Amino acid sequence: VVNLAHGSLYLLGGYVGYVVARETGWWVLALAAGFAAAALAGLLIQVLILRRMQGQDLRQTMVTIGLSIVIADILLWIFTGQVYQMEAPEWLQGPIRDIPLIRAYSAYRLSLLGFGIAIGLFLWWLLSRTRVGMMIRAGVDDRGMLAASGVNVNLVFAVTFALGAGLAGFGG
């Protein structure tokens, strides 16, 4: 599925994370809430809308563009056009010094690099080394054969779509 609503799911995760961090003061809880909100929205998009358009790439693309506009406009209506900023937790603030070739670099930016590498390695492992990854790859190659082997293909694709949407929300 070509999901052009990912930007809006990123935005949703960012706003939900901001609200949770503002209300609770817990940065890690804000990350989890942004992931969960975007994953739930992605799951609803997949189950309620995109599942009915399997194999219709152009239609899915147009629908996700429309959803992106609608979601972004609803969030703009709720949060207005104001800029909201959230500080990183204390343990990620300040520069890291004395690393070879890096004189002073933000601990927050280095942690983002670490998060990105860890998520990339996890997704590689998930897709290439697990049974779930095998089912995802098989479903992309031959959906009918996977269904004939007794796998609930709709569930596999719904969970995959929710994971991708959740990662967009995590990024937000």
Side-chain angles (χ1 to χ4, degrees):
V1 173
V2 178
N3 182 10
L4 297 178
H6 247 53
S8 292
L9 296 172
Y10 175 91
L11 186 64
L12 174 67
Y15 279 134
V16 168
Y18 171 77
V19 169
V20 169
R22 183 187 67 204
E23 297 299 321
T24 66
W26 290 16
W27 190 74
V28 175
L29 184 62
L31 287 175
F35 179 92
L40 179 63
L43 182 64
L44 291 173
I45 289 169
Q46 168 65 20
V47 170
L48 299 176
I49 300 169
L50 296 178
R51 184 176 287 174
R52 297 169 182 11
M53 302 175 200
Q54 292 173 1
Q56 300 174 3
D57 295 339
L58 183 59
R59 182 173 286 176
Q60 288 175 343
T61 302
M62 297 303 290
V63 166
T64 58
I65 288 172
L67 285 170
S68 178
I69 293 168
V70 169
I71 293 168
D73 282 351
I74 288 171
L75 291 172
L76 182 63
W77 174 63
I78 293 170
F79 290 97
T80 70
Q82 257 183 306
V83 175
Y84 296 94
Q85 291 186 349
M86 189 171 83
E87 291 293 322
E90 288 182 28
W91 53 276
L92 285 178
Q93 290 182 0
I96 293 179
R97 300 189 188 283
D98 300 327
I99 297 175
L101 301 176
I102 301 173
R103 295 289 176 218
Y105 208 76
S106 165
Y108 177 70
R109 288 185 183 259
L110 286 176
S111 71
L112 291 180
L113 178 65
F115 273 135
I117 291 170
I119 289 170
L121 289 173
F122 170 75
L123 290 175
W124 170 81
W125 173 80
L126 179 74
L127 288 174
S128 66
R129 302 285 187 215
T130 66
R131 181 177 164 93
V132 173
M134 181 177 60
M135 287 188 286
I136 292 168
R137 289 181 284 125
V140 169
D141 290 342
D142 192 348
R143 184 182 189 101
M145 184 61 76
L146 184 63
S149 67
V151 175
N152 185 345
V153 178
N154 286 332
L155 178 63
V156 169
F157 284 142
V159 169
T160 304
F161 201 87
L163 177 63
L167 288 173
F170 184 79

